[in-house]
Amino acid sequence: MRNFDAIYAIAADRKGGAQAFETTLSMPESPARLAAIPDDRWLSQMSKCIFQAGFNWKVVNNKWDDIEDVFDGFDIGRMGFMTDEEIGEHLSNPRIIRHGKKIAAIRDNAQFLAALAGENGSAATVFAHWPSDDFVGLLVMLKKRANRLGGNSAMYFLRFMGVDSFILSRDVCAALIREGVVDKAPSSRKDMNKVQAAFNEWSGQSGRPLMQISRTLSCSIDA
């Protein structure tokens, strides 16, 4: 596994030099800003990523204002008590994406976020203060306790909220394989721990957040 500077040099060269490449790198939100995000916004983005999984993102984006309205702004108290009858009624509503299991996940995840809030004061507190050097642990927690938030859906959800995160896109996986971190796209807990260890090492070398390392790996692969 090469040090981060060597990988960064490849990515920067492919993106027009270090100065140009730096403008494409994002910073995570601060813990204070993350903790201030209302829990309904976490449920909204969580639900959006679930609807986008395996679906045309543009269609989801175009319908999102209506979806927000139909689901009461994703108020976790209201959504947590959505009945089976209400879910059935939503399946005939043309304003939304009519997918029963994904609609039911709104209720399940509202209950999950309410439980986190009960345990920690707010769900946002958990996401805000989860250590980035155990990002895999956060993914495991979401897969175990939330509904339909395994794999990349959870990673995109956290990234879009501003949590420091990596996304195991095709190019990131290709870079991890090239660097000898894993020998295939990681799926097992053992391989995910190897990925976390590699990101932690590169972060220690560079002082950069996971999301910048993730993008650097992606951009180091030929398009």
Side-chain angles (χ1 to χ4, degrees):
M1 187 173 88
R2 282 175 285 191
N3 64 39
F4 181 78
D5 286 346
I7 300 170
Y8 179 91
I10 297 170
D13 182 63
R14 288 178 174 157
K15 294 298 178 180
Q19 185 173 358
F21 183 51
E22 283 294 326
T23 66
T24 72
L25 300 179
S26 301
M27 287 293 292
E29 296 286 357
S30 69
R33 288 181 65 88
L34 289 170
I37 298 173
D39 288 348
D40 64 89
R41 293 302 86 204
W42 295 93
L43 180 59
S44 174
Q45 187 61 69
M46 187 181 290
S47 302
K48 189 173 188 179
C49 288
I50 289 170
F51 276 112
Q52 286 173 331
F55 204 73
N56 186 305
W57 285 28
K58 184 177 180 179
V59 172
V60 177
N61 288 335
N62 288 341
K63 281 184 171 285
W64 200 250
D65 286 345
D66 280 343
I67 292 172
E68 283 272 359
D69 184 51
V70 168
F71 292 109
D72 295 328
F74 291 97
D75 177 85
I76 65 170
R78 174 72 186 88
M79 291 299 96
F81 287 98
M82 185 163 45
T83 66
D84 290 341
E85 289 74 17
E86 287 175 309
I87 292 173
E89 290 170 2
H90 288 315
L91 290 176
S92 62
N93 189 341
R95 296 178 65 198
I96 66 170
I97 295 166
R98 291 169 284 183
H99 189 296
K101 291 182 179 180
K102 294 186 178 186
I103 294 171
I106 296 172
R107 177 179 62 190
D108 295 343
N109 289 329
Q111 294 172 353
F112 158 62
L113 291 172
L116 284 187
E119 296 160 8
N120 302 277
S122 73
T125 298
V126 177
F127 300 120
H129 296 289
W130 198 286
S132 61
D133 63 3
D134 184 34
F135 180 64
V136 165
L138 179 54
L139 297 178
V140 170
M141 188 274 284
L142 288 171
K143 184 176 182 179
K144 180 178 179 180
R145 296 188 61 179
N147 186 347
R148 303 182 74 89
L149 275 179
N152 281 9
S153 291
M155 298 179 204
Y156 280 113
F157 153 61
L158 294 165
R159 172 66 62 83
F160 292 152
M161 293 302 294
V163 175
D164 193 18
S165 52
F166 55 72
I167 294 176
L168 295 179
S169 65
R170 181 188 62 186
D171 286 347
V172 170
C173 289
L176 290 168
I177 293 168
R178 181 196 64 203
E179 296 303 317
V181 176
V182 290
D183 57 13
K184 63 183 187 307
S187 57
S188 69
R189 182 65 186 272
K190 181 179 180 181
D191 280 350
M192 290 297 288
N193 286 341
K194 291 179 180 178
V195 170
Q196 181 75 68
F199 270 87
N200 291 349
E201 183 171 341
W202 285 321
S203 181
Q205 292 169 358
S206 65
R208 292 178 181 269
L210 301 181
M211 60 175 58
Q212 292 190 2
I213 296 168
S214 181
R215 176 158 177 78
T216 301
L217 289 171
S218 177
C219 292
S220 72
I221 295 294
D222 284 326

